[in-house]
Amino acid sequence: MNNDQFNAAIEALHADNDLADRALARARSDQRRHRRRGAAKPISAVVAMAVAALLATGGAAYAVVNSDFFATAWGDHGGGQTQSYTLTHDDGTVHTYTMEYGDGTASAELEDYVEHVGITLEANGYTLTVEEMVMDANAAGAVTMTLSNPDGVPYYEPAAEIGELVLNGTDSDHGLDQVAMLFGDDFADDYCAIDRDASTDTEVHFTMYFASWNGASDLDRDITWKLSWHEGDDIYSTQSLDAQTEAFHSTKQIGVRRFSSSNGSWAEVSPFSVRCEVAQAETADAVRGVTLKLQDGTEQIVDDQIGSTRYSYFGLIRNDGSTVMVPTKLIEPSEVTEVEITALHIIREEGQAAQVEEFTVTLE
């Protein structure tokens, strides 16, 4: 890969943040300090095991179950398993991207890890109902929620057209800026996917996909959800307000299966996330693709930063330097035989311009 190819690849990484209005809608929540992997800095600064036994490493595939939770959280959100959308970048170029979703089919064993939350918060005319949640030993997962307001729930329509719920707090006098999730005092990174078929003008159903900053060390912390809004129209009169739910303490986290290589690279795989670190890469941001090789000879792509198809809701770089991805399709770790990671390595030689080398590492 030459420098021109590298620059083009990096430019392609900006697709997720070309929803500039998404960043604008969250701009008032500048207390969120996540470092989202592979992303241009938006207006709002986006950065983003001991508790559970390891999953079985082999054997026959799990029995499947028809689960309302997994059909909602890891289904296609009412838009079909393959959904395409077009974004126009600031320079006028137009790109078409595709999201690939799962069918919501889950193994029967996963049902045991679904926790009923059942928390309700009323604030600024809204009612937020936090319904059910799953989480793994890396503090990543999904939670289903409903947000209602008899006067309507305004959100950014172009984002909803491609499946993302971005609240639009400036469209009305009863607007809402954000729904957020916290582990203790720290915000989680998240992505909210709207179920448009199930939603109405006054009641929005959605799934929040999340990953905490600190992984396993966050598992014992209380979890809360927060509604944020503002009053006033200009920078001098705006007042930020929020309300927070009562605390929820998770008692169920599904374990992860670890893969590694002789050079020190590793990955941890659960049904809900993949966490990895590549030894040769100079920065965590250098991870460009993750593919799972399966026992039946097929593969499941979890992340592809260079291509035009998205297979994960988001990826973030944690404080420890590892990269975490929450995929759009459930993973069955017992069926995974290898994890293949594509990354970029910067080569610097005295008197020469830095070169970028793409390489692949296979973990077993």
Side-chain angles (χ1 to χ4, degrees), residues 12-13 27 60 66 80 97 105 114 138 141 156 160 185 222 254 257 274 282 312 317 326 356:
L13 303 183
N66 292 322
Y97 299 92
T105 300
V114 178
N138 274 321
Y156 186 55
D185 295 328
D222 285 336
I254 197 166
R257 185 177 172 200
V274 174
E282 296 189 9
S312 57
I317 303 169
V326 177
V356 177

Side-chain angles (χ1 to χ4, degrees), residues 6-21:
F6 177 65
N7 291 333
I10 295 301
E11 186 65 31
L13 303 183
H14 295 182
D16 188 30
N17 289 301
D18 275 321
L19 288 174
D21 300 84

Side-chain angles (χ1 to χ4, degrees), residues 116-178:
H116 177 71
V117 180
I119 290 176
T120 298
L121 174 66
E122 295 184 1
N124 195 36
Y126 288 84
T127 299
L128 175 69
T129 303
V130 186
E131 297 157 352
E132 294 182 308
M133 183 181 83
V134 291
M135 185 164 63
D136 62 22
N138 274 321
V143 54
T144 54
M145 294 191 265
T146 300
L147 182 67
S148 61
N149 187 324
D151 294 324
V153 181
Y155 53 81
Y156 186 55
E157 281 287 348
E161 288 292 337
I162 61 172
E164 183 175 9
L165 174 64
V166 177
L167 296 170
N168 196 339
T170 61
D171 267 6
S172 71
D173 56 6
H174 64 276
L176 197 66
D177 294 324
Q178 172 181 305

Side-chain angles (χ1 to χ4, degrees), residues 298-317:
T298 62
E299 61 183 31
Q300 179 175 345
I301 301 174
V302 174
D303 190 45
D304 180 6
Q305 288 290 298
I306 305 302
S308 60
T309 301
R310 293 179 57 191
Y311 304 91
S312 57
Y313 289 107
F314 67 87
L316 69 108
I317 303 169

Side-chain angles (χ1 to χ4, degrees), residues 257-261 265-267 269 333 336-339 363-364:
R257 185 177 172 200
R258 191 175 177 92
F259 296 78
S260 61
S261 68
S265 300
W266 55 267
V269 179
V336 179
T337 59
E338 294 178 342
V339 179
L363 315 177
E364 299 179 347

Side-chain angles (χ1 to χ4, degrees), residues 154-220:
Y155 53 81
Y156 186 55
E157 281 287 348
E161 288 292 337
I162 61 172
E164 183 175 9
L165 174 64
V166 177
L167 296 170
N168 196 339
T170 61
D171 267 6
S172 71
D173 56 6
H174 64 276
L176 197 66
D177 294 324
Q178 172 181 305
V179 180
M181 182 176 184
L182 296 89
F183 286 79
D185 295 328
D186 294 330
F187 284 88
D189 199 0
D190 65 72
Y191 178 103
C192 293
I194 185 172
D195 188 336
R196 301 200 76 187
D197 286 347
S199 299
T200 66
D201 291 341
T202 60
E203 185 174 276
V204 173
H205 297 268
F206 65 101
T207 302
M208 175 184 283
Y209 302 89
F210 65 85
S212 82
W213 268 51
N214 304 303
S217 62
D218 282 330
L219 294 176
D220 287 330

